[in-house]
Structure formats: C-alpha cells, structure tokens
Amino acid sequence: MLAGLAGHGLRLDEAELVVGTSAGSVVGAQVRSGTPVTQLYEAQLRPPREEVPARLGTGVLLRWAWAGGRGRDAARARARIGAMALSARTPSEQSRRAVIAARLPSSDWPAARLLVTAVDAASGEFVVFDADSGASLVDAVGASCAVPGVWPPVTIGDRRFVDGGVRSPVNADLAAGCERVVVLAPTRAAVGPMPRLSAQVTALRAAGARVAVVSPDRAARTAIGRNVLDPARRAASARAGFAQADTVAAEVAGVWR
C-alpha cells in the first residue's frame, strides 16, 4: 500500500510520526530505516525463507475472546490474555527474535519519530516504546508482534510483553495532536473493552485532525486469506495492497495534501 501510494506522489513514509502495532511495528521500523518503500515492497515478493509458518486458528481466537471479552476493565481483560500467552507452548524467545531481526533493515532506532506498541503480559498495562524507552528496536518490535498463544512473550528488563494489538489493532489515538492522519488498518476487529477504531478516529477528528482510514478491499482480504500469519500469503497480499492504492489514492490525497 505504501509503495502504491508513493507512485501517486503520496509519501507516507515521510510522516512526522509513525505508529506501529503488531505487524505494523515491523512496517514502521522498515520505512523509518530509510530504505525506499519500492525496495521494501519488492522484498515482500520474494520467498519468505527466514519465516516460520504459524497459524492464528479459531481455537486461539476463541481463547482471546473468552479471556478478553469478559467485563469492562480493559487492563484486566488484557492481563487475562497475557496470562494465556504466558502459559502457552510456543517457540523459544531466541528463535523468534532471530526472525524479527531478519525483517528489519537496521537494529537501531531511527532518528525520525517511531512509536511501537505492546502490552505488559502480567499487568495488562499498555506500553509505548520509542527511542528513549531503553528497549532495543528488535525487542520492541518483537514484543509488539508477540501474538498471544502463538509466539512467546518478549522479555524486556524484568517484564514480559505481548502484542500491542491486544489493546487495539491500530492504536490510532496515539496520533493525537497531529493535523493529518492516515490510518492503514489491516483489521478493524475489536473484542470486549478494546477501544474501537471508529471511536479513535472520531476523537482525532473532534480535535481538528483530518483523517483517512484504509482497510483491505475484497481482493486484498482474499489474498491475505483466513490465516493472517501465513508467510506464504505475503507476496499475493503485497500485490493486492499495491493495486488497491490506485482506488484509495484520491481519498488519501485529500488528507495528506
């Protein structure tokens, strides 16, 4: 999507602020590395040799819904999901960290502002990592991508963290104060007391921001498939996002320009 929009003169990679959640944290770190988005796009078309196949199946999603959908206390709901993640059988942290490191063009935090989201697995606290947080970029991104029940929680200091999507798949509210916001949201799903994307966008607009939201169209959803963690779907998904950019460019330009 970013590469396709760049072809229309819309350089979202030059934004003053990039917020990355889960897989979005990988994308955020990649675009902030200074690597051209066209080069990053081309890399998505190659066979994903370093990746480990995984499945986000119905069983895991049901456990998420059971743990996170009860009650109105968002932090407690996140802590229940965190407890599930801590007790799950997963690959080792070391092996997963190697995969995350292989995705990033640089292991250093970029000079341009990048926020990476995660959740404390024990307390359910929502945490935002940046260049001043003391966490390495690889560990911060790994934490943001630590899908509960699939990948191991990531240890940073004396705490363990899980996917930032446990709080919100997008966390667009972290863009508060910005005048122009483009949200690339592969999913708008929300469970229990999760803040909804619609509410986050409404709040941004109420504060005076111009906001555009882009989600996968039908062709992109088909390319992604039912298992969003299947690396074999990467090339087709990338092509679908690139193609969809043609249909959303005018809407994005209305905000970005």
Side-chain angles (χ1 to χ4, degrees):
M1 177 63 70
L2 291 170
L5 290 173
H8 290 271
L10 299 166
R11 295 294 306 277
L12 302 190
D13 54 310
E14 296 178 349
E16 292 182 4
L17 169 67
V18 172
V19 177
T21 293
S22 199
S25 70
V26 176
V27 177
Q30 288 174 337
V31 300
R32 282 311 208 199
S33 72
T35 307
V37 291
T38 51
Q39 184 176 329
L40 292 170
Y41 169 67
E42 290 166 1
Q44 300 304 303
L45 306 181
R46 304 185 194 116
R49 294 186 179 89
E50 297 88 1
E51 295 291 337
V52 178
R55 181 170 183 79
L56 185 59
T58 303
V60 173
L61 292 174
L62 287 175
R63 289 197 295 274
W64 273 37
W66 180 83
R70 295 178 289 135
R72 297 182 179 180
D73 189 311
R76 287 186 179 181
R78 295 194 295 266
R80 287 193 293 269
I81 296 175
M84 180 197 81
L86 291 168
S87 65
R89 297 181 62 181
T90 64
S92 70
E93 281 193 63
Q94 184 178 8
S95 64
R96 180 60 178 162
R97 192 180 194 278
V99 172
I100 296 297
R103 292 179 180 176
L104 306 184
S106 172
S107 60
D108 296 325
W109 281 96
R113 195 170 179 216
L114 170 66
L115 303 182
V116 174
T117 67
V119 167
D120 185 301
S123 67
E125 177 190 357
F126 179 56
V127 177
V128 181
F129 295 109
D130 62 13
D132 299 322
S133 63
S136 73
L137 179 62
V138 174
D139 287 337
V141 171
S144 193
C145 293
V147 180
V150 178
W151 302 119
V154 171
T155 303
I156 300 177
D158 59 356
R159 303 167 73 183
R160 301 190 74 192
F161 297 90
V162 294
D163 200 307
V166 170
R167 190 260 183 177
S168 164
V170 182
N171 294 300
D173 50 340
L174 294 181
C178 295
E179 296 178 354
R180 295 172 289 164
V181 181
V182 175
V183 181
L184 303 184
T187 177
R188 302 186 185 209
V191 176
M194 272 187 176
R196 269 52 179 173
L197 174 59
S198 58
Q200 295 176 44
V201 170
T202 296
L204 289 170
R205 287 174 174 157
R210 290 184 290 167
V211 185
V213 179
V214 178
S215 294
D217 60 13
R218 180 178 296 180
R221 291 195 300 271
T222 299
I224 293 168
R226 292 180 179 272
N227 178 19
V228 298
L229 301 182
D230 184 0
R233 295 276 189 166
R234 178 178 292 176
S237 301
R239 291 189 180 97
F242 189 91
Q244 186 185 349
D246 289 342
T247 66
V248 302
E251 178 186 359
V252 173
V255 167
W256 205 244
R257 292 174 177 163

